[in-house]
């Protein structure tokens, strides 16, 4: 019966996981649908220019595109600013379900600097991002494997390079004509409709005109009767100094069966669920292997050891024994630099709380891609408020070691990890600022981050530390000897460096496949929304980090080495080293970054991520090992 019941539970869990992982068609909280009547004005908003080659976003109007009479900024949240989003109005306006064959937007004269900027952005394969009704513009593409399914590329390219009219020299051409296609889902009872898709086909057309009039431009290649001419034109618009470029656009509308709640599905179809399931199965195999080892240690070896030790009649018999019981008088001895250990454990609790709550909100749909910048904003705010738990954990652990300077430990908890991150971030932001990129965090936002840190996070860390230090200290299950026991010579495979490096392989192996998708979404401008899979991988990471630390900690104690405190933390935390090495591998094999600044930004941000991963996994391993050691030494009789 027990096996059947557990089988049913596993089946239910996997069914729920499948729903959370693969089902996107549900209402997204906080994003209300908007109904449009026929003839309602629609305005396309412009966002940023981005490139996977440089990783440096730019404001849309950094290039000499058509500008409205007054540029209005849309208020961005904290996450959007940190991502480099700059949402503004544009000249591209039309009316709901009112098709336009070709409309002239403006004429631009390219001077030397403007032509140079366009050429640089075409060289670096920059893409233009626009928004209509909170939907990002996308370019339809066909899958190479021949499967007839709709997939999107985010944004359209600024232009392209190529040979034209027999020229041997490559020239630069700009996409100056945009063919918009808006999909809408009509309400069968009323005449209102909701926008469910926003596509664009960029074209390069050398428009002809005789005399230019801003109020009534006469462009023979672009009027209400030249739609076919526009689509069949083979003369592209070259980019060069002293060139006059006419920008134009047309709009078509198409009724769709897609409902508003499912309109993001097509944007999210880039991830292959089969690969994610392979990642889960791969990770589960690692967990089952480790669980088997832990079960063998806990149920067979430890049970036998405890039974034997408890049956010993004399102290002489005990001295003949070898193994983990002999270090009972030293196993709870405070380690070197225990204050710093408390600081990192408290910081790890803060990161763990932030990660767990963020994933729960993401699973519930509150941090969907439609809530632009929501994920980044939630992580920053949750980090700030989790300072309460970080301070509590570090102070409570510090009191167990009989420390007295809890205020100093509190200050270190509040400043060491955030200070290192902020210093790296400040240097990287200065580099981005030097490149005049919109990805540079403005002074006002930087000041707001500092205010969140000093005004909310630091006080909460102090409140948590006060509560943690006020609570009674944790009592050790065995007494600690006054004179430390001598540690015997260790075998080569039990040396600290070797066991620490070995311990990080399995936690990293449990997550590295999913890590590929995360890096792809961050650095190749794709959406990541498989939070169901990510949550499972996170749980597997916790279990794997805990189990590998327990296994290696048991082997260490059996070798009569009682210095387990720091080694437990570093064993699981060493997986961050493999994460950083994998990010370097990903950089050289998947990315095409050539600029020095872009390379520094990549490795700088990956260093921040790896450091946070080290603190997170190290804390998980430490608490698992701490629970294990207390459990086994409270189970034996000590004279």
């Amino acid at each position: 019966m027990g096996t059947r019941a557990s089988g049913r539970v596993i089946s239910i869990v996997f069914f729920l996981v499948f729903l959370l992982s693969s089902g996107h068609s549900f209402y997204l909280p906080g994003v209300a649908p908007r109904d449009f009547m026929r003839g309602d004005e629609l305005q396309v908003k412009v966002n940023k220019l981005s490139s996977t080659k440089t990783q440096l976003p730019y404001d849309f109007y950094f290039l000499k595109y058509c500008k409205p009479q007054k540029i209005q900024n849309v208020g961005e949240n904290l996450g959007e600013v940190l991502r480099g989003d700059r949402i503004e109005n544009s000249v591209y306006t039309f009316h709901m379900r009112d098709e336009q064959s070709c409309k002239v937007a403006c004429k631009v004269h390219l001077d030397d600097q403007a032509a140079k900027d366009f050429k640089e952005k075409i060289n670096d394969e920059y893409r233009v991002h626009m928004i209509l009704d909170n939907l990002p513009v996308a370019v339809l593409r066909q899958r190479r494997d021949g499967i007839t399914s709709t997939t999107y590329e985010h944004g359209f390219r600024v232009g392209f390079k190529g040979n034209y009219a027999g020229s041997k020299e490559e020239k630069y051409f700009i996409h100056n004509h945009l063919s918009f296609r808006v999909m809408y889902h009509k309400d069968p009872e009323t005449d209102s409709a909701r926008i469910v898709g926003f596509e664009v086909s960029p074209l390069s057309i050398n428009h002809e005109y005789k005399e230019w009039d801003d109020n009534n431009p006469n462009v023979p290649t672009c009027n209400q009767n030249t739609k076919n001419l526009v689509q069949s034109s083979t003369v592209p618009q070259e980019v060069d100094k002293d060139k006059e470029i006419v920008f134009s656009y047309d709009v078509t509308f198409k009724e769709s069966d897609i409902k508003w709640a499912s309109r993001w599905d097509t944007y999210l179809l880039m991830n292959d669920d089969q690969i994610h399931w392979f990642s889960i199965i791969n990770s589960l195999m690692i967990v089952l292997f480790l669980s088997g080892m832990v079960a063998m240690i806990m149920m067979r070896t430890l049970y036998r050891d405890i039974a034997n030790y408890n049956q010993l009649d004399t102290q002489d018999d005990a001295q003949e024994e070898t193994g983990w019981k002999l270090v009972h008088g030293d196993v709870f001895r405070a380690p070197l630099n225990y204050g710093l250990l408390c600081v990192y454990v408290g910081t790890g609790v803060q990161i763990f709380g932030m990660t767990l709550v963020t994933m729960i909100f993401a699973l519930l749909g509150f941090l969907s891609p439609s809530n632009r910048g929501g994920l980044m904003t939630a992580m920053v705010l949750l980090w700030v408020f989790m300072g309460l738990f970080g301070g509590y954990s570090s102070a409570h652990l510090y009191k167990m070691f009989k420390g007295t300077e809890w205020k100093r430990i509190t200050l270190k908890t509040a400043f060491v990890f955030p200070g290192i991150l902020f210093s790296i971030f400040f240097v990287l932001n200065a580099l981005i600022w030097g490149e005049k990129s919109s990805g540079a965090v403005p002074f006002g936002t930087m000041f707001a981050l500092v205010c969140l840190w000093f005004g909310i996070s630091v006080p909460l860390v102090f409140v948590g530390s006060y509560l943690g230090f006020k609570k009674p200290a944790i009592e050790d299950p065995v007494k600690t000897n006054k004179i430390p026991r001598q540690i015997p010579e260790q075998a080569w495979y039990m040396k600290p460096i070797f066991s620490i490096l070995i311990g990080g392989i399995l936690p990293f192996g449990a997550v590295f496949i999913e890590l590929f998708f995360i890096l792809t979404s961050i650095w190749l401008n794709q959406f990541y929304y498989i939070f169901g899979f990510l949550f499972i991988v996170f749980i597997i990471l916790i279990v794997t980090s805990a189990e590998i630390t327990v296994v290696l900690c048991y082997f260490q104690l059996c070798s009569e080495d009682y210095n387990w405190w720091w080694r437990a933390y570093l064993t699981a935390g060493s997986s961050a080293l493999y994460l950083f090495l994998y990010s370097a591998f990903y950089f050289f094999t998947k990315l095409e970054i050539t600029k020095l600044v872009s390379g520094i930004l990549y490795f700088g941000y990956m260093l921040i991520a790896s450091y946070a991963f080290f603190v997170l996994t190290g804390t998980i391993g430490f608490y698992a090992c701490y629970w294990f050691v207390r459990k086994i030494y409270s189970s034996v009789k000590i004279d």
Side-chain angles (χ1 to χ4, degrees), residues 284-481:
L284 284 175
M285 291 299 102
I286 296 176
V287 169
L288 291 175
F289 169 72
L290 284 175
S291 299
M293 292 188 67
V294 172
M296 182 181 67
I297 291 172
M298 297 291 287
M299 298 180 64
R300 296 186 60 185
T301 311
L302 269 177
Y303 180 78
R304 185 177 66 247
D305 288 349
I306 292 171
N308 290 338
Y309 289 143
N310 289 340
Q311 290 172 5
L312 294 176
D313 296 327
T314 64
Q315 187 68 19
D316 294 335
D317 293 333
Q319 294 298 330
E320 295 175 1
E321 293 292 332
T322 59
W324 55 270
K325 183 174 181 283
L326 291 183
V327 296
H328 67 82
D330 299 276
V331 75
F332 289 102
R333 187 180 304 280
L336 295 174
N337 295 323
Y338 63 85
L340 186 62
L341 178 65
C342 296
V343 168
Y344 272 94
V345 169
T347 303
V349 170
Q350 191 173 355
I351 295 177
F352 179 82
M354 175 199 72
T355 307
L356 182 64
V357 177
T358 300
M359 287 194 180
I360 292 174
F361 275 106
L363 279 174
L364 296 175
F366 289 100
L367 304 179
S368 68
S370 62
N371 186 7
R372 194 172 282 101
L375 183 64
M376 185 75 71
T377 305
M379 292 179 69
V380 172
L381 294 179
L382 284 171
W383 160 262
V384 168
F385 290 111
M386 288 296 166
L388 180 70
F389 300 99
Y392 178 88
S393 304
S394 62
H396 198 207
L397 185 63
Y398 183 69
K399 189 172 184 179
M400 187 194 72
F401 290 130
K402 297 180 175 57
T404 56
E405 299 179 348
W406 70 274
K407 292 181 181 179
R408 178 180 296 180
I409 295 301
T410 305
L411 282 173
K412 289 182 178 179
T413 305
F415 288 102
V416 170
F417 180 80
I420 293 174
L421 257 62
F422 194 82
S423 299
I424 299 174
F425 178 73
F426 186 81
V427 173
L428 297 179
N429 193 63
L431 292 175
I432 301 173
W433 194 279
E435 294 291 324
K436 300 179 181 179
S437 168
S438 65
V441 178
F443 175 78
T445 305
M446 192 75 77
F447 181 74
L449 290 173
V450 173
C451 289
L452 286 173
W453 180 12
F454 284 87
I456 300 178
S457 180
V458 173
L460 285 177
V461 171
F462 267 91
V463 171
S465 295
Y466 175 77
L467 296 175
F469 201 77
K470 192 176 180 182
K471 195 173 181 181
I474 303 172
E475 294 293 332
D476 297 331
V478 292
K479 292 183 179 179
T480 302
N481 297 333

Side-chain angles (χ1 to χ4, degrees), residues 511-553:
V511 301
F512 86 97
I513 296 179
E514 199 65 26
L515 181 64
F516 170 81
F517 292 100
I518 296 173
L519 291 178
T520 300
S521 66
I522 294 174
W523 300 107
L524 293 182
N525 193 33
Q526 296 183 8
F527 290 115
Y528 185 90
Y529 194 58
I530 317 296
F531 291 112
F533 284 113
L534 185 62
F535 187 74
I536 302 171
V537 171
F538 179 62
I539 298 298
I540 291 173
L541 174 66
I542 295 173
V543 176
T544 308
S545 300
E547 289 182 340
I548 190 63
T549 309
V550 167
V551 170
L552 293 179
C553 181

Side-chain angles (χ1 to χ4, degrees), residues 51-58 124 126 593 595 597-598 601:
S51 168
T52 57
K53 282 192 171 184
T54 68
Q55 303 297 334
L56 293 169
Y58 284 89
D124 292 330
Y126 269 83
I593 294 176
K595 287 189 175 182
V597 172
S598 302
L601 290 177

